[in-house]
Amino acid sequence: MDLLGLSVLALALGHVFSNAVRTLPAMAADVLQRDLGVTADGLAALTGAFPAAFALAMLPVGVALDRYGVKPTALALLAIAAVGAVLGAAAGGPWSMLLGQVVLGIGCSGMLMCPVTYAAKNLPPQKFGLWGGVIQAFGNTGMLLSASPLALLVEHAGWRAGYIACALLAIGAAVAVSLVVREAQAPMQARRTLAEDLREILALSVSRELRAPIVIAFASFAAVLGVRGLWGGPWLMEVKGLARVPAGNVLLFCTFALIVGPALGGMLERRFQPVRRALLAAGHLGAAAAILLMVAGGALGWGVAADALLLTAFGLLISLQVICFALVRAAVPPERAGRALSAMNMSFFGGAAVLQAASGAAASVGGVGAALSVFAVALIACTLVFLRLPGPR
């Protein structure tokens, strides 16, 4: 592998960290609720602070990526993320955990955008979709850490050890970025003020070229975070009656699908570019159907094998979200890639914050099945709107 590929993967280690730390609550929800003194919907609200802070931080991150470069931005964010993980480990109640989630959200806000922007600035558009899939696939290996391995760690050392392990991962990623990534100095933008850069990101988020992928992105990552990152564990443990480690083993099926799926999605995007909008829509509608079938199966008494199959299907289908990055990259020149991709990432995580809060309210009324259904309904609604909106010129 050449230096460009190694640099992208070194930067993607931050995305590994981000996936591990934000999906940690799925395998420790019960003990987190007990130790922090919160209910299930209270925990959903606390962890919802992560994507909310993430989305708000995307404005300055998008500017920093284009103004100062990828490497310094990545190193600053990894340092913030490591501090956030330590705060999470030290949390003694809901307010201290809220602080940890906010700091983690800020630190993780560029963990995907750094390798994606680096690839967008250094690769031709026709290769970007494939590398976008590789970045997502590599980064999603972080979810492996928060499945069975984390379940074992929680059982033997407690949930705080999980946050400490994540802090060490962030430090390791910073070392790798320092040693491997080479980047030309970012061009000076003296004629543009910071306020002008921020306004451009907001303008891009509602522009005709980006409107459609931004709409479907609102529900896309929210579903991943909701199913794999929060409610998947409680569904298997509370509704299906599994112990923590067996539940983690079942979630591995979804995790492997989320690792393989983005790479497959990147290849499909490159092979079927003329119909990539249809592929993106079909994947999201299929993912919604998998969630609804799983919820229906809980009422009908389907076995755990059905859950494993449906979670796998969900992971593969929702992974076509990598096409969103290709649609955005194709709509802007390289020098605006950081801001445009950040505008879409604001929708990814802003949607996660809104829908996670909604899922917590639904859980307090109708249980875990109702919480999961929130994401299915949002996927259907956003996909139908996406299909009505025009693609980029």
Side-chain angles (χ1 to χ4, degrees):
M1 183 178 293
D2 59 13
L3 182 60
L4 174 59
L6 287 174
S7 297
V8 170
L9 293 181
L11 290 163
L13 283 172
H15 191 36
V16 174
F17 162 85
S18 180
N19 274 310
V21 78
R22 67 179 171 230
T23 55
L24 190 156
M27 290 313 304
D30 54 340
V31 288
L32 278 169
Q33 291 173 42
R34 181 197 67 203
D35 292 350
L36 298 177
V38 296
T39 60
D41 55 321
L43 182 62
L46 284 177
T47 55
F50 179 104
F54 191 117
L56 291 174
M58 284 314 306
L59 281 171
V61 166
V63 172
L65 287 169
D66 287 338
R67 184 178 280 253
Y68 305 114
V70 173
K71 184 174 181 177
T73 303
L75 290 174
L77 291 172
L78 285 165
I80 295 170
V83 171
V86 172
L87 289 173
W95 290 108
S96 51
M97 178 56 78
L98 178 65
L99 175 63
Q101 290 295 312
V102 169
V103 175
L104 277 170
I106 294 170
C108 290
S109 58
M111 297 308 187
L112 175 58
M113 298 315 303
C114 286
V116 167
T117 302
Y118 190 86
K121 290 177 180 290
N122 291 280
L123 290 169
Q126 61 270 25
K127 291 185 178 181
F128 177 72
L130 177 61
W131 268 98
V134 170
I135 292 167
Q136 281 273 56
F138 183 72
N140 285 352
T141 59
M143 296 185 194
L144 286 175
L145 302 177
S146 62
S148 299
L150 180 64
L152 290 168
L153 186 61
V154 170
E155 285 289 317
H156 291 93
W159 57 268
R160 299 180 192 278
Y163 280 108
I164 293 297
C166 288
L168 295 174
L169 178 57
I171 293 169
V175 172
V177 170
S178 298
L179 295 176
V180 175
V181 177
R182 298 289 181 269
E183 184 180 33
Q185 186 174 2
M188 295 296 295
Q189 299 183 22
R191 289 175 294 177
R192 294 182 60 88
T193 66
L194 182 60
E196 287 173 333
D197 281 330
L198 293 174
R199 282 197 296 270
E200 183 177 2
I201 293 179
L202 293 174
L204 283 168
S205 67
V206 296
S207 65
R208 181 191 184 280
E209 287 76 12
L210 304 188
R211 199 175 299 154
I214 281 176
V215 164
I216 199 169
F218 186 84
S220 184
F221 186 73
V224 176
L225 195 59
V227 174
R228 175 59 188 84
L230 183 59
W231 297 111
W235 171 264
L236 294 169
M237 289 188 282
E238 296 174 16
V239 178
K240 291 306 182 79
L242 295 182
R244 191 183 317 279
V245 174
N249 292 336
V250 174
L251 285 177
L252 279 175
F253 287 94
C254 183
T255 305
F256 281 123
L258 288 168
I259 293 170
V260 175
L264 294 176
M267 289 187 285
L268 288 172
E269 187 278 332
R270 188 175 184 182
R271 175 67 176 83
F272 300 104
Q273 285 194 4
V275 294
R276 58 188 177 183
R277 278 173 55 93
L279 279 174
L280 179 61
H284 283 61
L285 291 175
I291 296 173
L292 293 174
L293 284 171
M294 189 169 70
V295 173
L300 296 173
W302 293 357
V304 175
D307 289 326
L309 179 62
L310 289 168
L311 284 168
T312 302
F314 167 81
L316 290 172
L317 291 165
I318 200 68
S319 293
L320 288 168
Q321 64 188 205
V322 298
I323 295 175
C324 290
F325 293 100
L327 291 174
V328 170
R329 172 61 187 90
V332 297
E335 61 272 14
R336 300 175 71 197
R339 280 163 283 187
L341 291 166
S342 294
M344 190 192 69
N345 223 28
M346 283 174 59
S347 182
F348 264 127
F349 282 84
V354 171
L355 294 177
Q356 191 155 308
S359 73
S364 66
V365 175
V368 181
L372 288 169
S373 298
V374 166
F375 300 101
V377 172
L379 283 171
I380 294 169
C382 289
T383 302
L384 293 178
V385 174
F386 167 80
L387 290 171
R388 294 293 300 274
L389 292 171
R393 294 186 182 92

